[in-house]
Amino acid sequence: MSNRLSRRKFLGNASALAAMPGSWGLLGVPAGSAFLLGEGESASSKTADRIVDLHVHFDEKNPKFIGDLLKLSDRLNLTACLLTPFANRKVVAEAAKQHPKQIIPFGFVDLDAPDVVKQVEELHAMGYRGLGELEFVKKPYNDPSYFPVYELANRYDWIVLFHTGIVLRKNFDAPEDVASGRMRPIYLEEIARRFPKITVLGAHCGNPEYEWAAEIARWNPNVFFDLSGSSLTKMQGRLAEFQKIFWWSATEWHSAEWTVKTPNNDPSAFIKIVFGSDVGLDEIESVVNQYRALFDACGVPERTRRMIMGGTLAQMLGLPD
Ligand SMILES: [Zn+2]
């Protein structure tokens, strides 16, 4: 989604979110610490506690955005996949070259634009690492007219982030050609299978179609979801229910695990989730705390928490240690 700053306010979530860090504080976790480290592990390990945020939208209205992001990145030990409108591609490509550990450029394109294939080729030539967030499509994601873009992404071994599930309404007075039904998580299954070299990432875990999202991730090694958006607020009193959706921990009922260099053999079903915030810079830390509350409610193992918060994306992107 675009318009991130307005979204949570629009949904009235800000006060609920503000309450999260305090409740987490009762568990003895300092607000600024990136992870709970297990016994015998060094808190000085910058790599182990790095957060990789899949879902940071470039804010073209803030002229200091890159500087603000770099400051936050230093404070939280955070790498941002920066979802960049095509019009802003140059400034972000330049910033990513200067700060390769902090900014990973992703290109936001309109799948229905007549020159979208050319745009994608240009983004690749500029060093972009993937596409996203794809959204507001005129046809369902699996429409063959979008295949030329997916074919390129497949050739580039790219990560592609799709909005999935419910989408807010921006305009109340004029007709809009926008429908959540074109962005259902079930469409990602076909894309993942037809284009197996794309790493397919679904934003918002298909809200509210969590079950479809999880089941598709379960049988497709190249499909993952983030839990950005309103879900962790909606579910804050019943976060343990996510164990029923990500149910196959320590069973054989799943595909081989996604891996690049290191086989993870992580038995937790939650390994199919990655961290994404989809909020303004000043709210990212509160989303980190929401993920931690989820981990706690669902008993997510320490090793899996680290993979969700950064390890998996760091491997996908080949981030330097
Ligand atoms: Zn979205």
Side-chain angles (χ1 to χ4, degrees), residues 12-31:
N13 287 343
S15 58
L17 281 171
M20 288 304 299
S23 59
W24 186 254
L26 292 174
L27 299 168
V29 180

Side-chain angles (χ1 to χ4, degrees), residues 134 141-142 150 160-165 182-195 198 200-203 205-206 212-213 216-217 220 222-225:
L134 303 181
Y141 283 138
N142 65 341
Y150 303 150
V160 181
L161 174 65
F162 294 84
H163 171 95
T164 61
R182 301 169 191 158
M183 299 182 279
R184 297 180 68 181
I186 194 165
Y187 297 129
L188 303 194
E189 178 192 50
E190 183 179 350
I191 295 164
R193 291 183 186 208
R194 280 186 185 270
F195 305 98
I198 298 180
V200 175
L201 288 174
C205 204
W212 267 114
I216 289 161
N220 291 281
N222 56 331
V223 176
F224 294 77
F225 286 90

Side-chain angles (χ1 to χ4, degrees), residues 52 79 81 104 106 129 159 258 312-320:
V52 183
T79 301
C81 297
I104 312 293
F106 275 60
R129 303 294 307 278
I159 295 171
W258 177 91
T312 298
L313 282 163
Q315 280 189 21
M316 286 176 183
L317 294 161
L319 295 187

